[in-house]
Amino acid sequence: MRTTRFFLSTLKEAPSDAEVISHQLMLRAGMIKRLAAGIYTWMPIGLRVLRKVEKIIREEMNDAGAIELSMPAVQPAELWQESGRWEKYGPELLRCKDRHQRDFVIGPTHEEVITDVVRREVKSYRQLPVHFYQIQIKFRDEIRPRFGIMRGREFLMKDGYSFHSSFDDLQREYRNIFDTYTRIFTRLGLKFRAVAADTGSIGGTGSHEFHVLADSGEDALAYCPDSDFAANVELAEALAPPDGRSAATVDLQRVATPDRIRCEDVAAFLDIPVTRTVKAIAIMLNDAAAGSARLALILLRGDHQLNELKAQKTIGEFRFAREDEIAAVLGSPPGYIGPVGIANIPVFADRSVAVMSDFVCGANAKGFHLVGVNFVRDLDEPTLVDDFRNVVAGDRSPDGRGTLELCRGIEVGHIFQLRSKYAEALKCSFLDESGQGQVMEMGCYGIGVTRVVGAAIEQGHDQRGIILPAAIAPFQVCIVPMAYAKSDTVRAAADALYAELMHAGIDVLLDDRNERPGVMFAEMELVGIPHRVVVSERGLAAGKFEYKGRVDAESQILPMTEICQFLKNRLCAA
């Protein structure tokens, strides 16, 4: 491709409303143009990147045995009503009516549609398993679209759905797609982690997220560098401390702690480590039998944070108690409450608290804390001991093979074992070997194709612009000739090199514009082309080209006869 026959539309500065670096750089590089909130036109330079991501995904999905189809973006409401998601999905579901006042939705996902296809077409176990996928535009009416394409309303997604005659076969395909996704993100040239995840509103059992590692990631991940363990912080188990509870060594004391309500402030005031403090979180626990809610306490070590997802799964639904509810039962404002001296109130303790002794907690009196608190001697054992907290760096890995570290990630893929949730709702069944009707097992596998592009830029950039892996860069190589329009020698050499690289199968851009060198260098770096070759009269006189990699500190002078093989080697190494 020649720049004079292409379309580049770069900006020196990003618009002020561009929040994250990928949004800023994609706008500056002319990859996308905003049409409306969360809706973007993909310009030629950005579309090239998107199509390369799409190509790798399609190749790997086909090799994995999945079959591509294309489902309608507009879906009848009846299917969503049949699955129960018409009411449950919420305002993200864009609903509309046709001229006959029939209800439709603009598809945010396609579980209902594909299940309808399969229930009509697949009747026997002999037709199973089957795995269909598509790469298609979706629409989710985000309440606050932000971060450019990272959380837009319209986006390109690869969504796949598999159907099986048994759970064992679903697990086989789940592992197959797990491995396929690993190959996809490896080929894309991204640093990523697959982590155990919660199934969320989509339902089902097993679930893994694939995260591109980036400091700007919205999700906190826990992983063990000494093993393959990785999980979303919400799901990573915090193991009980290996040592048991020590015996009490000090007497219980009531100490004035005026205006100290945070554990860190209390610890600093008492000159003790914050790890010796315990915070009590007051909740209103649903009591189905009584038809009301009652106060309960969750105890955490002072430096730990409550994991609401774990707590809800362990003790049931709850909400945080209001100040008036706390005062009515404990006689104290929040910040000074604790488990000592209370009766008939459930106390749920995190594992780390259950082994503590001589700790500090609230005294249930404004301006006071208790020092030297011990279970059994000063208060009853907790009602329940379990994992109620987020893991922290240094915690033991749940697989027992090291300690955990934390990082940030951007979710770009998610796979689910849906089991029979949608198959049961939509009556998707088959006849087994004995002629009996059975409900199908189902898997769901998604990749946010547009999000991959944004995540790659969040992971790869510098002060000059975008740094993309060669596999998804808009062009692999750019040729920048000095005085292309004025020098016959430079023009002939640049054209010859361009033809040679094209013949070698290298995706190359020849910048044949009549522009200043500084402008051409800056734009090629901004859009993320990983390899640059400069053609100049001085270099040609010496039989040389100047080469510079996008992340190289210095350029190299290479013989003209070796440049093609050199680039092929660099591209293969990438």
Side-chain angles (χ1 to χ4, degrees), residues 312-325:
Q312 297 272 7
K313 286 182 176 180
T314 303
I315 63 179
E317 291 187 7
F318 65 83
R319 62 172 173 81
F320 294 109
R322 302 190 305 267
E323 285 195 32
D324 62 307
E325 293 171 326

Side-chain angles (χ1 to χ4, degrees), residues 81 128 156 175 206 218 264 277 344 373 402 430 503 562:
Q81 292 162 350
L128 297 172
L156 186 65
R175 172 51 59 179
E218 291 184 276
E264 296 85 348
T277 66
N344 301 318
V373 181
F430 67 98
H503 185 262
E562 297 177 10

